[in-house]
Amino acid sequence: MDSDDVSKMFQTESEKLENLISNATAKSELSVHEIIKTYYQIMNVSSMITMLKPQIVGKPQSFLDKIQETEKIISEKFNSNLHPQIIEQLANSIQNTTKNLQSDSTGEKSKQDIENESNIYEELRQKMSTKEFVEQYDKGLSHD
Amino acid sequence: MIKELAKNLVNLKKEFAIIYDGKSQIQEVIPVSKSEMFPIKQQDLELLHQFATKNPIYYNSYEKTIGKTLCIVYEGDINKYWLNSIQQSSSRAPFSPTWIMSAYVGVLLAKDLGYQEVIDIGSGDGRIAFCAKILDLESYSIEIDDVLVDLQKLLTILDFHPYCSDAVIFDYSSLNLSQPIFFIGGLAQMGGTVLASSVLEKINSNSTLKKNTGWVFAGTYSQKYPPDPKNEAGWGTLIEKNNLKSIQTVSLPTVWTFHEPQETPYIFAQPVLD
C-alpha cells in the first residue's frame, strides 16, 4: 500500500467517524448497535493515527492537518462530550429497565408474557455488556 | 454403565437441540420411563419429574419423542433469579443450572466412586443435592442467595438440607462428614476458582477430611473463556496447586451449553496421597 492509498484510507475512515459522531450527537438516545459501531470506529481511527504518526515525515501538510483535526474531534467531541453522555444513557437505561422488571412480578403470567419479558431481559443483558465495554474504553482514557 | 448413560444423555440433548422450536429461555428433557438407553430406576425418574414439576422456574411441559425416547420437555425461565443474583455483591456467579438428568448422572458417578455425602456448593435450586438424596447419599445444599434457598424449600420432596449461607464461611465440621464429595458451582473463569480455593482451604485444614474428600468442578472448553495453562477445562492450575489429581471427566448437558456443540465437562478430582 503506497502513501497515497494510506492517506485516502485515513480520509475515508475519518469521514465515517465524523458522520457517526454527528449522527450520535443529534440523537437523544442511541441503540446498542449504534454505540458499538461508534466506539469501533473510534478505536479503528485511533489505531490508524498511532500507526501513521511515526511515518509522518515527508508527507503533505494537508495529511498532517487531517490527522490533527481528527485527533481534536476524538478528544473534544467524543471523549469529553459524547462518551460521558453514552455512559450516563446506558446507566440510566439499565436502572430503569431493572426497576421495571422488578416491579412487574405480580400475578400469574402466561407463557407468552414470560417469553416476551425474556426479550426485555435479553436487552438488559446487552446493555450491561455494552456498558462494560464502554467502561473499558473509559479506563483506557484515564491511563492516557 | 455410567459412561454409556452420559453418552446417551448427550446424544438425546443433541437431537433435542435440533428439533426444539420453542422460545423459552431454558429447556431440558427427562425420559418418561426406564429403557435400554436410560436404565434408571422408574422410581428415581419419577422423583426427577416431581422435582421439575414442582419447580417454579419451569412454566410449561409437554411430551415429546426424541430419537427413540419418550421424554417430558420442561420449558423455563430463570431471568428473575439472574437479576437477583447479580444484585447480590457476595454472589460469585449468576444462577444457571445443569440439567436435572446431568445432576443425576454426576451424582451416580460420585456414588460409584465410593463417596457417601454430597455437598452442593452454590447449589442454585438444589438439584444436585436432590439427586444425591434420590441415590441414598446424604446431601447438603449450600446457597448464598436467599431467594434461591426459598425456592429450594419448595422442592424438598426429599430433604436435601438447604442452607442459606456463604460457602466460604460455612462450618463444614458441623456436618460430621466422613467421605464427602463437593460439587463446585460455577466455571473456573466465572468466580469458581475463588470459591473452590476458599472451600478447599477450609476442608484441607482437617487432615482426615482432606484425604477423604472428592471434588467435582464444572469446566468449559469454550473459546469465550481464557484456557488454563494446566488444562482440565479451566481447573488444571487449581488442581495442581491443591495437590489433587483428576480421576475422571464426564461431559453432560447444562442449560448454558444448550446451543453449544460441546457439553459441560465435569472434572472429578481426588487428593494425591503421599
Side-chain angles (χ1 to χ4, degrees), chain A residues 98 102 111 115 121 125, chain B residues 59-60 75 79 82 86-87:
Chain A
T98 304
Q102 282 176 325
K111 184 174 186 286
E115 290 176 357
Y121 276 102
R125 275 191 272 270
Chain B
Y59 58 84
N60 190 39
E75 293 186 311
N79 278 313
W82 165 76
I86 60 165
Q87 287 175 331

Side-chain angles (χ1 to χ4, degrees), chain B residues 109-125:
Chain B
L109 180 54
K111 185 175 180 175
D112 193 58
L113 290 168
Y115 291 101
Q116 289 170 12
E117 301 112 348
V118 165
I119 298 92
D120 188 1
I121 302 291
S123 52
D125 64 5

Side-chain angles (χ1 to χ4, degrees), chain B residues 15 38 41 48 69 114 116 121 145 164 170 180 222 229 231 237 242:
Chain B
E15 288 197 53
F38 296 98
K41 276 192 221 164
L48 298 180
T69 308
Q116 289 170 12
I121 302 291
D145 183 335
C164 185
F170 187 80
S222 168
N231 303 315
T237 301
N242 287 280

Side-chain angles (χ1 to χ4, degrees), chain B residues 51-124:
Chain B
F51 184 85
T53 310
K54 282 197 164 208
N55 194 327
I57 72 171
Y58 299 105
Y59 58 84
N60 190 39
S61 63
Y62 56 91
E63 276 193 5
K64 180 97 185 162
T65 301
I66 302 160
K68 290 176 184 167
T69 308
L70 178 64
C71 298
I72 305 278
V73 175
Y74 292 95
E75 293 186 311
D77 186 288
I78 51 172
N79 278 313
K80 74 170 183 175
Y81 299 99
W82 165 76
L83 194 56
N84 187 58
S85 68
I86 60 165
Q87 287 175 331
Q88 295 224 8
S89 55
S90 47
S91 179
R92 287 174 178 80
F95 171 48
S96 188
T98 188
W99 273 22
I100 296 171
M101 279 293 291
S102 299
Y104 184 86
V105 175
V107 175
L108 207 53
L109 180 54
K111 185 175 180 175
D112 193 58
L113 290 168
Y115 291 101
Q116 289 170 12
E117 301 112 348
V118 165
I119 298 92
D120 188 1
I121 302 291
S123 52

Side-chain angles (χ1 to χ4, degrees), chain B residues 242-259:
Chain B
N242 287 280
N243 210 21
L244 301 174
K245 62 176 178 197
S246 161
I247 50 162
Q248 223 172 114
T249 298
V250 61
S251 282
L252 293 165
T254 50
V255 156
W256 64 92
T257 54
F258 184 66
H259 299 287

